[in-house]
Amino acid sequence: MKRFAALLLTLTFSSFSSAATDSFKICWSIYVGWMPWGYGAEQKIVDKWAKKYDLDIEVVQINDYIESINQYTTGEFAACAMTNMDALTIPAAGGVDSTALIVGDFSNGNDGVVLKGYDKLQNIKGQKVNLVELSVSHYLLARGLESVGMSESDVTVVNTSDADMVAVFPTAGVTSVATWNPLLSEILTMPGANKVFDSSQIPGEIIDLLVINTDVLKANPNLGKALTGAWYEIMATMSDAGPAGIAARTAMGSASGTDLAGYEAQLASTKMFYSAESAVEFTNSAALKTTMKNVAEFSFEHGLLGEGAPDAGFIGIETPAGVFGNSSNIKFRFDPSYMQMAADGKL
């Protein structure tokens, strides 16, 4: 299941204990960039790193992506795999101070806008666009429209479940969709389907992360070290060109409902940060702050920062390049220090 944002619900938060402890749970859901967590748990790589720091770490797969984030937000999990937009609009907007511990990848073509019978994005004007409302597909559409001097007022968004997207595209009343892989690839095989915009045209904006409760991380820095160490050991195996890498990618593909070829096709449109050095470089860039400004503005315009948010900068977002928004209300942080430890061989 691909990741998507939801309208922020009013939740009663049972704050995750920030006291130092030795037992933790983290959660993830099915997506190309998060399959390594399942593989790392199955192969006992996470256990190995947990034991190095005298910890117990349980890795839990949650079938419903938004439910996984909600459970993280209410304190059921210390950390959770999610996108940058969802980290802002769900836990951070709900008052839970959260840190992007690991920047794993960004969508580099996995998300796209498809028109039926036309091959230019400008032809979308006046059309109905079927997509999962308030999702990263919705964000992608907004960014695409902006790139050709249009806005959402030039189209009509039709909220459509991802489960129905492939089935509705061939129907007479549907002329355009915005969706993600593997649905995107399947739709593009249909007569008249043309991809007119995709996430490779907004590189680095739809980012996949492991997000951790900031207070938990501060009280338990060894948890950050164990998770980061495990991740980059998995990355080293996964990216290997030899039999070990093939076996790892085959296992991840099978666990996500496809085969090696299918999984590698998804990886081809995903910019994986296999090395800690590349993830640190991306996180330290000034472009990340700009991206989060764009995401915050989209989120505010669609009511995702909460009813009391007066503007897009209501929630402070801390990046190495500076803070976007209210520095007195920082609730979402990009901290490359643990990835830097991995890069320096200090884990």
Side-chain angles (χ1 to χ4, degrees), residues 262-317:
Y263 188 65
E264 289 186 336
Q266 292 179 47
L267 283 173
S269 53
T270 307
K271 173 58 179 176
M272 294 293 298
F273 295 118
Y274 289 117
S275 72
E277 291 86 351
S278 61
V280 169
E281 181 181 6
F282 176 83
T283 306
N284 283 338
S285 71
L288 177 60
K289 182 181 174 185
T290 302
T291 289
M292 291 314 302
K293 173 180 178 291
N294 290 335
V295 170
E297 288 173 348
F298 172 88
S299 301
F300 173 69
E301 289 165 6
H302 292 81
L304 297 175
L305 299 184
E307 292 182 8
D311 54 48
F314 175 64
I315 297 169
I317 304 168

Side-chain angles (χ1 to χ4, degrees), residues 228-271:
T228 307
W231 178 259
Y232 287 110
E233 180 174 334
I234 299 164
M235 289 297 99
T237 301
M238 178 184 178
S239 60
D240 183 75
I246 292 171
R249 295 190 300 275
T250 299
M252 292 180 204
S254 177
S256 64
T258 186
D259 56 13
L260 176 62
Y263 188 65
E264 289 186 336
Q266 292 179 47
L267 283 173
S269 53
T270 307
K271 173 58 179 176

Side-chain angles (χ1 to χ4, degrees), residues 73-129:
T73 301
T74 57
E76 293 297 315
F77 294 93
C80 182
M82 66 187 80
T83 68
N84 53 325
M85 187 168 89
D86 296 329
L88 174 64
T89 61
I90 303 178
V96 178
D97 197 325
S98 297
T99 295
L101 178 72
I102 298 169
V103 177
D105 69 86
F106 64 76
S107 175
N108 198 33
N110 262 329
D111 302 80
V113 179
V114 179
L115 296 189
K116 188 186 293 181
Y118 294 98
D119 60 4
K120 288 184 171 54
L121 181 58
Q122 288 88 335
N123 295 124
I124 204 170
K125 188 168 185 175
Q127 293 195 29
K128 294 179 180 178
V129 186

Side-chain angles (χ1 to χ4, degrees), residues 53 55 97 108 111 119 153 157 176 281 340:
Y53 290 101
L55 302 174
D97 197 325
N108 198 33
D111 302 80
D119 60 4
S153 63
V157 169
S176 58
E281 181 181 6
Q340 186 66 59

